PDB file of all heavy atoms in Angstrom:
ATOM      1  N   ALA A  19      10.997  18.802 -11.672  1.00  0.00           N
ATOM      2  CA  ALA A  19      12.336  18.314 -12.000  1.00  0.00           C
ATOM      3  C   ALA A  19      13.107  18.154 -10.653  1.00  0.00           C
ATOM      4  O   ALA A  19      13.155  19.033  -9.850  1.00  0.00           O
ATOM      5  CB  ALA A  19      13.056  19.206 -12.927  1.00  0.00           C
ATOM      6  N   GLN A  20      13.736  16.965 -10.517  1.00  0.00           N
ATOM      7  CA  GLN A  20      14.502  16.733  -9.270  1.00  0.00           C
ATOM      8  C   GLN A  20      15.655  17.681  -9.156  1.00  0.00           C
ATOM      9  O   GLN A  20      15.991  18.184  -8.140  1.00  0.00           O
ATOM     10  CB  GLN A  20      14.969  15.255  -9.298  1.00  0.00           C
ATOM     11  CG  GLN A  20      13.863  14.235  -9.127  1.00  0.00           C
ATOM     12  CD  GLN A  20      13.257  14.232  -7.802  1.00  0.00           C
ATOM     13  OE1 GLN A  20      13.844  14.655  -6.828  1.00  0.00           O
ATOM     14  NE2 GLN A  20      12.031  13.717  -7.685  1.00  0.00           N
ATOM     15  N   LYS A  21      16.282  18.018 -10.323  1.00  0.00           N
ATOM     16  CA  LYS A  21      17.431  18.898 -10.330  1.00  0.00           C
ATOM     17  C   LYS A  21      17.007  20.314 -10.633  1.00  0.00           C
ATOM     18  O   LYS A  21      16.275  20.514 -11.620  1.00  0.00           O
ATOM     19  CB  LYS A  21      18.441  18.386 -11.419  1.00  0.00           C
ATOM     20  CG  LYS A  21      19.768  19.163 -11.355  1.00  0.00           C
ATOM     21  CD  LYS A  21      20.677  18.550 -12.409  1.00  0.00           C
ATOM     22  CE  LYS A  21      22.015  19.316 -12.353  1.00  0.00           C
ATOM     23  NZ  LYS A  21      22.958  18.780 -13.335  1.00  0.00           N
ATOM     24  N   PRO A  22      17.370  21.257  -9.814  1.00  0.00           N
ATOM     25  CA  PRO A  22      16.964  22.664 -10.056  1.00  0.00           C
ATOM     26  C   PRO A  22      17.395  23.167 -11.416  1.00  0.00           C
ATOM     27  O   PRO A  22      18.485  22.775 -11.903  1.00  0.00           O
ATOM     28  CB  PRO A  22      17.591  23.489  -8.907  1.00  0.00           C
ATOM     29  CG  PRO A  22      17.909  22.471  -7.887  1.00  0.00           C
ATOM     30  CD  PRO A  22      18.155  21.149  -8.579  1.00  0.00           C
ATOM     31  N   GLU A  23      16.584  23.950 -12.032  1.00  0.00           N
ATOM     32  CA  GLU A  23      16.968  24.568 -13.330  1.00  0.00           C
ATOM     33  C   GLU A  23      17.784  25.783 -13.036  1.00  0.00           C
ATOM     34  O   GLU A  23      17.391  26.715 -12.289  1.00  0.00           O
ATOM     35  CB  GLU A  23      15.724  24.979 -14.128  1.00  0.00           C
ATOM     36  CG  GLU A  23      16.039  25.569 -15.438  1.00  0.00           C
ATOM     37  CD  GLU A  23      14.781  25.952 -16.240  1.00  0.00           C
ATOM     38  OE1 GLU A  23      13.768  25.261 -16.075  1.00  0.00           O
ATOM     39  OE2 GLU A  23      14.839  26.876 -17.050  1.00  0.00           O
ATOM     40  N   VAL A  24      18.953  25.889 -13.644  1.00  0.00           N
ATOM     41  CA  VAL A  24      19.901  26.983 -13.379  1.00  0.00           C
ATOM     42  C   VAL A  24      19.620  28.072 -14.438  1.00  0.00           C
ATOM     43  O   VAL A  24      19.555  27.809 -15.640  1.00  0.00           O
ATOM     44  CB  VAL A  24      21.355  26.533 -13.451  1.00  0.00           C
ATOM     45  CG1 VAL A  24      22.294  27.715 -13.290  1.00  0.00           C
ATOM     46  CG2 VAL A  24      21.646  25.490 -12.417  1.00  0.00           C
ATOM     47  N   GLU A 108      12.070  23.842  -9.069  1.00  0.00           N
ATOM     48  CA  GLU A 108      13.075  24.680  -8.399  1.00  0.00           C
ATOM     49  C   GLU A 108      13.951  25.336  -9.423  1.00  0.00           C
ATOM     50  O   GLU A 108      14.299  24.762 -10.428  1.00  0.00           O
ATOM     51  CB  GLU A 108      13.952  23.835  -7.413  1.00  0.00           C
ATOM     52  CG  GLU A 108      13.222  23.405  -6.165  1.00  0.00           C
ATOM     53  CD  GLU A 108      14.200  22.714  -5.164  1.00  0.00           C
ATOM     54  OE1 GLU A 108      14.786  23.481  -4.361  1.00  0.00           O
ATOM     55  OE2 GLU A 108      14.372  21.522  -5.220  1.00  0.00           O
ATOM     56  N   TYR A 109      14.309  26.599  -9.092  1.00  0.00           N
ATOM     57  CA  TYR A 109      15.241  27.337  -9.971  1.00  0.00           C
ATOM     58  C   TYR A 109      16.421  27.892  -9.108  1.00  0.00           C
ATOM     59  O   TYR A 109      16.190  28.162  -7.935  1.00  0.00           O
ATOM     60  CB  TYR A 109      14.488  28.539 -10.587  1.00  0.00           C
ATOM     61  CG  TYR A 109      13.365  28.178 -11.531  1.00  0.00           C
ATOM     62  CD1 TYR A 109      12.127  28.032 -11.103  1.00  0.00           C
ATOM     63  CD2 TYR A 109      13.596  28.062 -12.890  1.00  0.00           C
ATOM     64  CE1 TYR A 109      11.048  27.707 -11.875  1.00  0.00           C
ATOM     65  CE2 TYR A 109      12.566  27.724 -13.739  1.00  0.00           C
ATOM     66  CZ  TYR A 109      11.311  27.553 -13.223  1.00  0.00           C
ATOM     67  OH  TYR A 109      10.240  27.231 -14.104  1.00  0.00           O
ATOM     68  N   VAL A 110      17.506  28.076  -9.752  1.00  0.00           N
ATOM     69  CA  VAL A 110      18.682  28.666  -9.087  1.00  0.00           C
ATOM     70  C   VAL A 110      19.181  29.793 -10.014  1.00  0.00           C
ATOM     71  O   VAL A 110      19.503  29.515 -11.165  1.00  0.00           O
ATOM     72  CB  VAL A 110      19.826  27.652  -8.798  1.00  0.00           C
ATOM     73  CG1 VAL A 110      21.011  28.421  -8.235  1.00  0.00           C
ATOM     74  CG2 VAL A 110      19.344  26.598  -7.821  1.00  0.00           C
TER      75      VAL A 110
END
Side-chain angles (χ1 to χ4, degrees):
Q20 294 289 339
K21 187 176 180 180
E23 180 179 334
V24 176
E108 287 190 88
Y109 297 88
V110 175

